[in-house]
Amino acid sequence: MKRIVILSDKFPPLPGGGIASAHFNLYKMFRSKGFDVHVYTYLDENKKLTDLKDDPNVHRFGATELELKYLYLINKIKRKISNFKINKLPQKGLAYQLDLIKISNIGAKKINKQLKKFKPDIVFIPDFGVPGYSIQKLPNIKYVHISHNNPIRFINNPLIGIHSENDTTAALKFEQQSLKCIDIVICPSNYMKEVFSKTFSFDKDIVVIPNLIHQEYINNIKKEDLHEILGINPSWPIIYIPSAGSKYKGEKFVIEIIRRISNNLNNEVGFYLSGNLSENQIFELSFLPDYHIYSPGYVSLESNIANIKDCKICISPTLFECFGMAILEALFCGLPCVAFNVGGNKEIIDCNNGFLVQFLDIETLISRSLELLNSSDLFYSLAKNTKNTQKEYSSDIIYERYYEIINGL
């Protein structure tokens, strides 16, 4: 069996985003098939890991608190110099891609010694933070780039604020450089393949393999009783809204969804909002104290799945989606999903397991959600059909695609 390394920004049981979840499931798949597979993280900074009962095959790296302070000081000096026009990098609008790359590559450099010891046959590298820029390319190892992020999508979109084009352009140059020693690129959706092909110059294979969910892991997680936590009637539906405080995931629509649906259902409904809420949302909710909302902040993947299992449907007003791990996790928990037709959503949601509505059509997003909540026949029909999605994105099905690539490499 080939030896495999998977790089990830973070990794469960510590809280992380969609990439951490996707690579966790990828790791589970390879382990279940008997591969000698290890995970190396590059953004687990400032974590007290001594009490963490972790998998021995998971190795966590990242910038220390001292390294982060030093990086912050250097950046502050550079920006002051830039203001005096000695070194120009105009930062008009939000600029964080270069900072993310700098922090990620502190952790990535620490991984190189471990790779030399383990001597893998294949290394899977995500694009988030471009850790591949600092990973030393060793002989007899094949390198696979997974395109999850691609910040070019954030440029010239007023819905999420102004992003610095200079910052993004510089970040993309780092990623282009990191592609020199890559043997194949994997995109989780046709949408991301199209974006990648337009952004980068890459003359080798670019293939589409969806992210997967490890069904056994999901099945073994016990459902949390959110009804008891919220103190509401067990018969009332609970709605799952993923990454509710993120502006990229439609933060500006969340309170309106809660208000409209609560009023329509005479407040006999609960909401589970994953992730941290924004300051604006917390302020707005202070004027809506009677709504039934559970928002525990960032929790582990296992806790998040346990919470989702006690929900009835998922509503995702996301403005960006390369693939949508949160939506896929909801479908694997049997929740029909309602979302905007944006990015890779149309490759997961169809008329059989939920509803896609026109981008930014919040009226239809809410009306379709109420239709699901008010019609038992429609709900049970779509909920039943989520099992077909579970088969399509199961580890056994997706493994065949990866097996072809591994053998090809």
Side-chain angles (χ1 to χ4, degrees):
M1 275 289 187
K2 293 186 184 298
R3 309 180 88 186
I4 293 174
V5 160
I6 299 172
L7 268 59
S8 186
D9 58 332
K10 298 178 185 292
F11 203 74
L14 298 178
I19 295 172
S21 176
H23 285 216
F24 174 79
N25 285 284
L26 189 62
Y27 169 70
K28 284 282 188 182
M29 178 192 74
F30 283 127
R31 280 291 299 272
S32 69
K33 300 299 181 181
F35 285 87
D36 186 6
V37 55
H38 286 237
V39 173
Y40 295 89
T41 68
Y42 54 89
L43 272 178
D44 276 333
E45 72 280 1
N46 296 330
K47 301 294 183 185
K48 294 180 179 179
L49 304 176
T50 52
D51 296 328
L52 182 65
K53 294 180 180 179
D54 214 346
D55 188 325
N57 287 5
V58 177
H59 315 275
R60 300 181 184 275
F61 297 92
T64 65
E65 190 171 343
L66 183 61
E67 287 169 329
L68 289 174
K69 286 181 178 179
Y70 176 75
L71 184 61
Y72 173 78
L73 179 62
I74 294 298
N75 284 348
K76 188 175 181 181
I77 293 172
K78 282 185 175 181
R79 288 193 174 111
K80 281 187 177 181
I81 294 174
S82 178
N83 288 337
F84 286 109
K85 305 186 184 302
I86 297 174
N87 177 26
K88 283 189 177 181
L89 182 59
Q91 303 290 8
K92 294 179 180 178
L94 181 62
Y96 71 91
Q97 297 294 336
L98 281 178
D99 287 349
L100 173 63
I101 289 172
K102 290 173 185 175
I103 295 171
S104 298
N105 279 264
I106 290 174
K109 287 175 182 177
K110 298 175 182 179
I111 293 172
N112 286 320
K113 182 186 287 189
Q114 306 300 319
L115 290 178
K116 288 179 181 178
K117 287 182 181 179
F118 183 56
K119 297 179 181 178
D121 298 294
I122 300 172
V123 179
F124 290 92
I125 306 174
D127 59 351
F128 186 70
V130 198
Y133 183 79
S134 290
I135 294 297
Q136 295 175 1
K137 304 308 184 288
L138 303 173
N140 304 317
I141 297 179
K142 299 299 182 181
Y143 295 89
V144 181
H145 181 89
I146 305 183
S147 182
H148 291 288
N149 188 46
N150 199 328
I152 197 70
R153 299 174 300 144
F154 305 146
I155 296 299
N156 298 325
N157 191 318
L159 294 173
I160 57 168
I162 306 300
H163 280 245
S164 169
E165 287 195 39
N166 290 346
D167 176 64
T168 300
T169 300
L172 293 174
K173 286 181 180 179
F174 275 95
E175 187 167 347
Q176 181 67 66
Q177 185 75 13
S178 75
L179 291 171
K180 285 186 175 181
C181 296
I182 295 296
D183 296 284
I184 191 170
V185 169
I186 293 177
C187 299
S189 64
N190 289 300
Y191 163 73
M192 284 305 291
K193 180 180 180 180
E194 181 181 350
V195 174
F196 180 90
S197 300
K198 288 180 179 178
T199 308
F200 299 105
S201 174
F202 187 74
D203 58 3
K204 299 176 185 177
D205 286 342
I206 307 171
V207 300
V208 175
I209 304 181
N211 293 333
L212 67 129
I213 298 287
H214 198 266
Q215 183 73 67
E216 184 180 357
Y217 174 76
I218 297 287
N219 292 343
N220 288 336
I221 295 176
K222 183 180 178 181
K223 179 178 73 172
E224 181 62 84
D225 191 347
L226 298 188
H227 288 84
E228 182 177 355
I229 292 174
L230 288 169
I232 61 176
N233 191 305
S235 65
W236 293 1
I238 296 178
I239 296 169
Y240 169 46
I241 303 180
S243 301
S246 168
K247 62 182 176 181
Y248 305 106
K249 302 299 182 180
E251 167 248 349
K252 65 194 304 181
F253 297 119
V254 170
I255 303 302
E256 181 67 6
I257 291 170
I258 292 173
R259 188 184 65 80
R260 296 269 294 278
I261 290 181
S262 293
N263 292 346
N264 189 278
L265 299 180
N266 298 316
N267 206 21
E268 295 180 354
V269 60
F271 296 87
Y272 166 48
L273 312 182
S274 69
N276 289 337
L277 299 184
S278 69
E279 289 184 11
N280 286 339
Q281 288 173 323
I282 293 171
F283 178 75
E284 286 187 65
L285 287 174
S286 68
F287 295 95
L288 306 169
D290 296 330
Y291 292 154
H292 311 292
I293 299 169
Y294 180 56
S295 180
Y298 288 110
V299 298
S300 69
L301 175 62
E302 182 175 343
S303 295
N304 187 52
I305 296 297
N307 293 335
I308 295 172
K309 281 190 169 186
D310 201 31
C311 298
K312 187 169 185 178
I313 68 170
C314 168
I315 303 176
S316 178
T318 180
L319 305 177
F320 288 92
E321 203 61 81
C322 64
F323 178 78
M325 281 303 294
I327 290 174
L328 191 61
E329 287 162 356
L331 290 168
F332 264 71
C333 292
L335 277 62
C337 295
V338 185
F340 290 138
N341 187 0
V342 62
N345 280 352
K346 64 183 177 182
E347 298 175 45
I348 305 175
I349 302 173
D350 55 39
C351 59
N352 296 311
N353 60 15
F355 295 117
L356 281 179
V357 305
Q358 187 174 346
F359 185 49
L360 300 182
D361 186 353
I362 188 66
E363 294 294 332
T364 304
L365 187 81
I366 292 172
S367 64
R368 281 297 206 178
S369 302
L370 287 169
E371 190 179 343
L372 259 178
L373 294 168
N374 289 322
S375 171
S376 296
D377 290 341
L378 177 62
F379 166 76
Y380 284 115
S381 173
L382 297 187
K384 182 179 179 181
N385 288 335
T386 60
K387 294 192 178 298
N388 294 327
T389 306
Q390 294 167 22
K391 292 177 183 177
E392 184 179 354
Y393 293 97
S394 71
S395 56
D396 288 336
I397 297 295
I398 303 298
Y399 172 71
E400 298 300 326
R401 307 283 299 279
Y402 273 96
Y403 186 73
E404 289 178 13
I405 285 178
I406 288 171
N407 278 345
L409 291 173

